[in-house]
Amino acid sequence: SRPGRAITMDTVVSGGTSNIFQFIMIRGRQIAKSGDLGLTLFVPTDTKDVEVMYIKPGGLVASKNQRLREATFGQQEASNTQLRVNDVIRAVNGHTDLEAIQRELERALVIHMA
């Protein structure tokens, strides 16, 4: 097991380690609270990257992934825009430090992950 800690935020998305892409989430004001994105993230102690450990079925991220699958059926390159387990988040809304990433994932109404 790698040294680090898991955080469950039920929040956000990003690019993978080999294929870097962007994932944008827009959530309504009524659900802008911690825990609504449906993500469990892993924060290694030896890097600033945040890794997606789990995507909760029915959460905002899982729902967006489903819409992307339906909209891009049969298009491999388009399906790569989905957030997946083991994807790495390096920045959220232009922020790269862990505290700012966590803050943006918890509070921002528009979340741009890269």
Side-chain angles (χ1 to χ4, degrees):
S1 144
R2 296 183 358 220
R5 62 189 163 99
I7 53 175
T8 300
M9 301 185 71
D10 290 333
T11 306
V12 210
V13 194
S14 116
T17 55
S18 59
N19 294 324
I20 296 174
F21 62 91
Q22 299 179 35
F23 192 92
I24 299 173
M25 294 288 311
I26 300 173
R27 59 180 163 195
R29 292 181 192 278
Q30 71 276 13
I31 56 171
K33 64 183 187 335
S34 180
D36 67 343
L37 291 183
L39 291 179
T40 298
L41 305 172
F42 178 73
V43 182
T45 56
D46 59 346
T47 180
K48 293 191 321 183
D49 295 339
V50 176
E51 185 176 330
V52 177
M53 289 183 63
Y54 176 74
I55 298 173
K56 177 179 161 184
L60 289 177
V61 170
S63 296
K64 176 160 184 174
N65 280 347
Q66 178 64 36
R67 288 191 308 276
L68 287 168
R69 277 191 297 277
E70 292 168 359
T72 60
F73 182 75
Q75 299 175 25
Q76 181 60 37
E77 64 281 350
S79 68
N80 288 337
T81 61
Q82 298 172 46
L83 185 67
R84 296 187 173 124
V85 170
N86 297 322
D87 278 352
V88 174
I89 300 169
R90 295 200 170 100
V92 175
N93 294 344
H95 299 281
T96 58
D97 63 284
L98 183 58
E99 287 182 22
I101 286 175
Q102 287 180 285
R103 184 177 58 250
E104 291 297 308
L105 292 176
E106 290 172 352
R107 300 180 186 149
L109 297 179
V110 176
I111 300 170
H112 178 198
M113 295 167 258

